[in-house]
Amino acid sequence: MTPPRILRGRLLSFNRRPLSISDTESYVYEDDGGLLISGGRILAFGPFETILLDAPEGAEIVDHRPNLILPGLIDTHLHFPQMQVVGSYAANLLEWLNTYTFVEEQRFADPAHGARIAVSFFDEMIRQGTTTAVAYCSVHKASADAYFAEASKRNMLMLGGKVLMDCNAPEVLTDTPQSAYDDTKAVIADWHGKARNHVVISPRFALTSSHEQMEVTGALAREFPDLHIQTHLSENTAEIERALELYPEAQDYTDIYARYDLLGAKTLLGHAIHLSERERDVLNETGAVAVHCPTSNLFLGSGLFPFKDYETREKPVRIAVATDIGGGTSYSMLKTMDEAYKIQQLRGERLNPLESFFAMTLGNAEALSLADRIGTLDPDSDADLVVLDARATPAMALKMDAVSTLAEELFLLQTMGDDRAIAETYVAGNPVKSGL
Ligand SMILES: [Zn+2]
């Protein structure tokens, strides 16, 4: 057991979605703050002098001034087997899947390959300040085993699941309704609730699951109502047409998943760009989350996510943000929000930096129904943290000389920052980036 630690630095933690750039009530900020951590948890959060006074004897002081300390960043959608797919040249989603992704994912039948990529994957998460992520593994149970074994070793709170796909893909990359059911149950039995792992029921999308497999997915969802479900929805117009050809009885793409009882407050719907008003209502009514993946949407030319429309409509849609590696082009949640900002600019909307940093932390934690554990610096939260350095590069340092407010600093971090701006990452109270 490591001794208690006091992290000293500028602390920032959100308590709700900021309504504007001047919404100072939406967060707590301590200019000279202290965070007392022990046993993997946050014990106290406040002004450094106060925390020091009440700290147990022998507590180690780690001085991160002048850097910012925030809850660890959260990535709600990416693909563990696609690290070597990032940056593949393709015209659109379906060409990209068939030409590169469905080839690369076949390699994860080999447990040794999965174990090797898992080490790189978790190193990269830590390098980027991402302390929780929600990943698709490949169709092979071995890929989920590799993913969760490495997550357990590092004591990271990770979500993920073996992909279910039984049609419209190479035969070596498909399961069957029965094997999908059996393997998912085995992954749940082996990993769910062990260490900090959460298993996610993961049908890839409507195009690669037969009606029979959708039935089985619905059965799993009923059998394990506490588990998250993740899939893809309305990313690309050709994909939407194909989905409705395969499921002609459905009113629209969203209705395909609704018909199999897959929509609920723990359902994560990757992309969800091109939704009708009816579909937006269904997301609102079921509580299902639209997961915005900006770098992927721009890279594959999928479309411009209507962030503000979803957020401000009478029946709002819950939103999370994510990298979508390897359709996405950066592992960095800072870069992700930089691109999210630009997408809203193209739509004539603004995404203010407070809202961006809320989204990467508490917003994503709320979208995962895990805000009681992660996403804030509140006492009793898990001590998963990121330390951000807005002077990480000469160009950033020069710009910082002209910065005078917290919001300006956050916007600089989002616009110019990447893994170099991550000064340290803490997982369950332990510094892990500096040791990489
Ligand atoms: Zn995806």
Side-chain angles (χ1 to χ4, degrees):
M1 190 97 154
T2 45
R5 286 196 178 104
I6 303 171
L7 308 189
R8 185 175 191 178
R10 295 161 55 225
L11 306 182
L12 176 63
S13 179
F14 290 89
N15 47 49
R16 62 164 167 77
R17 178 177 295 280
L19 303 175
S20 74
I21 196 159
S22 50
D23 185 1
T24 52
E25 306 275 288
S26 64
Y27 61 85
V28 184
Y29 172 71
E30 289 288 351
D31 195 48
D32 185 6
L35 199 64
L36 177 65
I37 56 180
S38 182
R41 295 276 173 91
I42 295 170
L43 300 187
F45 161 30
F48 175 72
E49 293 302 336
T50 312
I51 297 295
L52 184 65
L53 224 56
D54 298 339
E57 205 153 323
E60 176 196 359
I61 296 169
V62 184
D63 195 347
H64 283 297
R65 291 176 298 169
N67 293 336
L68 281 165
I69 303 174
L70 274 78
L73 308 181
I74 302 170
D75 185 351
T76 54
H77 179 127
L78 80 171
H79 298 261
F80 158 59
Q82 293 179 14
M83 291 192 83
Q84 292 179 296
V85 180
V86 180
S88 294
Y89 186 68
N92 56 50
L93 168 69
L94 299 182
E95 182 188 312
W96 174 85
L97 274 175
N98 291 315
T99 312
Y100 302 101
T101 307
F102 286 167
V103 178
E104 176 62 25
E105 290 194 9
Q106 294 175 29
R107 301 172 69 197
F108 286 77
D110 174 10
H113 180 71
R116 182 172 75 84
I117 297 295
V119 172
S120 299
F121 180 87
F122 285 94
D123 282 353
E124 194 58 38
M125 293 300 102
I126 288 165
R127 200 170 285 127
Q128 304 288 349
T130 298
T131 50
T132 287
V134 189
Y136 290 75
C137 300
S138 71
V139 72
H140 317 95
K141 178 177 183 288
S143 70
D145 291 339
Y147 176 81
F148 283 121
E150 193 64 29
S152 306
K153 200 189 273 181
R154 298 180 190 231
N155 197 23
M156 290 174 75
L157 197 167
M158 299 296 286
L159 302 88
K162 170 214 124 61
V163 156
L164 284 70
M165 50 193 292
D166 71 341
C167 60
N168 300 317
E171 205 171 323
V172 287
L173 208 60
T174 53
D175 51 15
T176 66
Q178 188 62 47
S179 74
Y181 178 80
D182 294 343
D183 285 350
T184 300
K185 278 191 81 158
V187 175
I188 295 167
D190 290 348
W191 298 108
H192 188 67
K194 310 263 171 76
R196 301 173 71 197
N197 301 323
H198 294 251
V199 174
V200 181
I201 300 168
S202 306
R204 184 173 213 121
F205 66 155
L207 268 59
T208 49
S209 285
S210 65
H211 288 63
E212 295 71 26
Q213 185 165 69
M214 283 295 194
E215 296 280 359
V216 155
T217 309
L220 283 166
R222 282 188 292 277
E223 203 172 333
F224 300 97
D226 292 340
L227 262 57
H228 290 80
I229 299 171
Q230 62 179 344
T231 190
H232 295 81
L233 172 69
S234 291
E235 175 175 1
N236 160 296
T237 46
E239 171 217 9
I240 297 168
E241 277 170 33
R242 186 80 186 111
L244 293 173
E245 282 165 20
L246 294 166
Y247 289 87
E249 68 282 8
Q251 293 183 62
D252 45 44
Y253 199 163
T254 300
D255 191 42
I256 298 174
Y257 298 131
R259 283 169 169 264
Y260 295 96
D261 291 335
L262 298 180
L263 301 181
K266 285 192 160 182
T267 303
L268 305 169
L269 300 165
H271 307 295
I273 302 169
H274 312 281
L275 300 183
S276 67
E277 290 300 318
R278 194 206 81 83
E279 291 178 285
R280 297 173 191 199
D281 285 349
V282 172
L283 264 56
N284 167 277
E285 286 153 15
T286 57
V289 177
V291 182
H292 178 33
C293 308
T295 71
S296 174
N297 295 166
L298 292 173
F299 182 71
L300 293 170
S302 302
L304 305 178
F305 183 85
F307 199 110
K308 290 288 159 180
D309 289 358
Y310 286 179
E311 191 180 67
T312 59
R313 70 197 299 273
E314 198 177 322
K315 296 170 82 178
V317 174
R318 296 172 74 203
I319 300 172
V321 292
T323 64
D324 191 30
I325 291 293
T329 52
S330 172
Y331 291 88
S332 167
M333 286 305 296
L334 298 173
K335 285 262 92 43
T336 297
M337 294 316 296
D338 179 32
E339 299 300 300
Y341 175 81
K342 293 172 189 171
I343 288 177
Q344 294 318 304
Q345 287 288 85
L346 287 171
R347 291 182 50 84
E349 302 279 6
R350 302 289 295 282
L351 190 60
N352 83 61
L354 292 178
E355 188 169 5
S356 290
F357 277 79
F358 164 82
M360 290 182 253
T361 56
L362 179 59
N364 274 353
E366 286 177 345
L368 298 178
S369 309
L370 287 171
D372 59 329
R373 294 261 45 83
I374 56 173
T376 77
L377 301 180
D378 293 346
D380 204 41
S381 289
D382 295 345
D384 294 340
L385 311 164
V386 64
V387 182
L388 294 169
D389 177 6
R391 297 178 182 271
T393 69
M396 289 172 77
L398 189 67
K399 165 74 197 200
M400 262 302 274
D401 289 343
V403 159
S404 57
T405 68
L406 175 65
E408 285 173 359
E409 180 180 357
L410 295 176
F411 197 52
L412 163 62
L413 276 163
Q414 169 189 313
T415 309
M416 298 180 80
D418 52 28
D419 57 310
R420 292 169 294 180
I422 310 298
E424 187 56 280
T425 305
Y426 285 84
V427 168
N430 293 311
V432 286
K433 178 168 179 176
S434 42
L436 284 180

